[in-house]
Amino acid sequence: AEAALASTEQVIANLEKRQTELTASLEALDAPSQAFTLNRELADVVESLETANEKWAALAETVASFQETADVS
């Protein structure tokens, strides 16, 4: 579970980086025709980020539960 948690944290970091890049691209956009494509990708990244954060929260809870069980034993 800890490996999955670390992997999910890396996915989240990559998605957050891409979100920042897309936002910067949209703010500096010279060609409005690119806006649709960038906005679509940004929406996909935001959706993936929400899913990854939910997965991370569930994994973090599992890891914490395992640690509590280990501490009690």
Side-chain angles (χ1 to χ4, degrees):
E2 289 181 10
L5 186 65
S7 175
T8 302
E9 288 172 348
Q10 185 59 51
V11 168
I12 290 170
N14 291 340
L15 287 168
E16 287 175 339
K17 179 181 177 191
R18 186 63 184 146
Q19 182 180 28
T20 300
E21 293 169 352
L22 288 167
T23 300
S25 293
L26 281 166
E27 290 172 354
L29 197 60
D30 291 331
S33 61
Q34 295 175 329
F36 178 79
T37 303
L38 291 174
N39 271 321
R40 182 69 237 147
E41 185 179 352
L42 181 57
D44 290 344
V45 167
V46 168
E47 185 176 329
S48 295
L49 193 51
E50 289 172 1
T51 301
N53 277 316
E54 289 169 4
K55 180 179 178 181
W56 180 89
L59 286 167
E61 189 174 309
T62 300
V63 168
S65 176
F66 284 146
Q67 290 174 343
E68 288 174 8
T69 302
D71 290 344
V72 171
S73 299

